[in-house]
Amino acid sequence: ALSVLGLAAIASSFIATLATVVFFGVLLLIGAGLQFASAFCGRHWRGFVLHLLAGLLYFFAGLFMVENPLGAALGIT
């Protein structure tokens, strides 16, 4: 099954690239939610602001990748 999927990805590399970028964007959005949860669960810890800023960075990067996958693919490449 993986060989067939790999051959399909090679045959249509443009679609595979866009799917990969959107998938990575969704993972970044999930990571942003976890960073926000981590920041607000440990508000009294020393790294609150860093967790919050990392969450914002993940959120905006993931949002850009999901909304504009072609531009994100060009930026990554």
Side-chain angles (χ1 to χ4, degrees):
L2 287 176
S3 296
V4 171
L5 187 61
L7 288 172
I10 290 171
S12 59
S13 61
F14 180 73
I15 294 172
T17 300
L18 292 182
T20 303
V21 168
V22 169
F23 179 72
F24 190 58
V26 169
L27 287 179
L28 281 173
L29 290 174
I30 292 169
L34 293 174
Q35 282 287 1
F36 287 140
S38 173
F40 287 112
C41 284
R43 273 182 278 186
H44 303 291
W45 293 351
R46 201 169 166 191
F48 170 74
V49 175
L50 290 177
H51 281 281
L52 198 61
L53 289 175
L56 285 173
L57 178 67
Y58 287 178
F59 177 76
F60 286 120
L63 193 65
F64 174 73
M65 291 180 113
V66 169
E67 286 185 353
N68 190 5
L70 185 60
L74 289 172
I76 291 172
T77 304

